[in-house]
Amino acid sequence: MLKEKMLNALNEQINAEQYSALLYMSMSAYFHEKGLPGFANWMYVQCQEELSHANKFFKYVVDRGGRVEMKAIKQMPNTWDGLIDVYEATLEHEQMVTGLINNLMDIAISESDHAAQSFLRWYVDEQVEEEANVQEILDTLKLVGVQGNGIFMLDREMRQRIFVDDTQAAE
Ligand code: OFO
């Protein structure tokens, strides 16, 4: 059985992951508007990943006998100042999420909840990958510049990304 503090934090995290999904969907819509279908696809896949993260937390709470409580999702931004601004905002958001995951792990450690520590390790590793992927795109964008042929090629590359549900493979 989950202790109350951990249960509340897990419910907050379900909300945070769902917010992440909608934030990335909003970024996807922004890229469609800007004529960048590849980047729009990349963000849509990111949205699907975040929903899978939320669902994994949902299932975990249920498996531990806890009650999932769905909460209102705060308004996400709808516009940005170009490609670099979007990926800077994405990196900042992922760094914030890493902080939330670390906080969950701190609670699990302080409560000697070994099952939660084991479960959360997947997210600790996932956040390293999330931040690294976004940083890499940001570095590439800064290198090629945000206009012209480089962006056209990059947009085509971003179109290749497909959703793979890593949360299932880890179980
Ligand atoms: Fe769920 O990893 Fe991003 O936010």
Side-chain angles (χ1 to χ4, degrees), residues 109-128:
I109 291 168
S110 74
E111 291 185 345
S112 300
D113 187 339
H114 296 275
Q117 289 173 49
S118 172
F119 171 76
L120 288 166
R121 233 162 255 131
W122 184 90
Y123 285 92
V124 171
D125 295 342
E126 174 69 12
Q127 282 310 119
V128 172

Side-chain angles (χ1 to χ4, degrees), residues 12 21 25 27 43 52 58-59 65 74 76 89 99 103 117 120 128 134 151 163:
E12 288 298 332
M25 192 172 242
M27 287 172 170
M43 279 299 173
S52 74
F58 184 107
K59 184 174 181 302
K74 69 176 182 196
M76 72 295 307
N103 184 52
Q117 289 173 49
L120 288 166
V128 172
V134 178
I151 286 302
F163 173 59

Side-chain angles (χ1 to χ4, degrees), residues 17 20 24 46 50 53 93-94 97 126-127 130:
E17 300 288 347
S20 298
Y24 296 140
Q46 194 69 12
E50 297 301 349
H53 296 171
H93 180 72
E94 287 303 329
V97 172
E126 174 69 12
Q127 282 310 119
E130 291 272 76

